[in-house]
Amino acid sequence: GQNIDQPTEMTATEGAIVQINCTYQTSGFNGLFWYQQHAGEAPTFLSYNVLDGLEEKGRFSSFLSRSKGYSYLLLKELQMKDSASYLCAVMDSNYQLIWGAGTKLIIKP
Amino acid sequence: DGGITQSPKYLFRKEGQNVTLSCEQNLNHDAMYWYRQDPGQGLRLIYYSQIVNDFQKGDIAEGYSVSREKKESFPLTVTSAQKNPTAFYLCASSKSGGSGANVLTFGAGSRLTVL
């Protein structure tokens, strides 16, 4: 079966750096997405990786290793507004998105 | 500003009743989707549509129905056949459904509670 694994919850300190991991086993691969979702709100797109390597976008970076079935989202200079759930999703060979359960990130002052 | 509008934001339903959740987009996107979100689980696809007057079942379509009569609109009906309908429902759209960099834009969600 297809599976996406992420930690359920993580805690970090304001101003610090945190890395959220995502491992996947899917039928084919057509890209990996990261979305941010604040409680009770809509998910919003953060990043897309289809080739191996690091994609940097401001304070957020996303890394992909297709051979290892692994990605991470790196958040730098954490702010209180970064408290949210972070959703990892993989597009399979049929262009269907398979979603992880999300990682709830708690930022402490 | 373009976006997706879902209504109502909160909805209470008695057992045995059908309810319809509205989803409207003005992004000129071809593809639209309905997801269900439950605590501790990933988003699960209910139905999707890549073109007007056509839609496909997702992973958990039983007890739900949709229509796509207009490009802008993709309403979801939760029928009395859905055994556990209490959930957060998310509507999304994208430019096209069959490509890799298929970024979804989501609506704010509708929370359905069955009493």
Side-chain angles (χ1 to χ4, degrees), chain A residues 33 35 37 42 48 91 96 99-100, chain B residues 35 37 42 45 99-100 104 107:
Chain A
F33 298 80
Y35 284 80
Q37 185 179 24
Y48 169 70
M91 184 166 283
Q96 297 297 316
W99 294 83
Chain B
Y35 285 95
Q37 188 173 36
L45 183 64
S99 63
L104 299 181

Side-chain angles (χ1 to χ4, degrees), chain A residues 31-74:
Chain A
L32 185 144
F33 298 80
W34 285 96
Y35 284 80
Q36 179 191 60
Q37 185 179 24
H38 287 98
E41 297 183 9
T44 55
F45 170 74
L46 289 177
S47 68
Y48 169 70
N49 294 70
V50 66
L51 299 176
D52 290 351
L54 186 69
E55 295 278 343
E56 297 186 77
K57 192 183 294 185
R59 294 189 300 115
F60 292 9
S61 302
S62 56
F63 172 82
L64 174 67
S65 170
R66 288 173 295 170
S67 62
K68 295 182 179 178
Y70 168 70
S71 173
Y72 67 73
L73 181 69
L74 190 72

Side-chain angles (χ1 to χ4, degrees), chain A residues 80-94:
Chain A
M80 297 304 292
K81 67 178 181 180
D82 297 329
S83 292
S85 288
Y86 291 85
L87 313 180
C88 174
V90 173
M91 184 166 283
D92 69 11
S93 56
N94 294 319

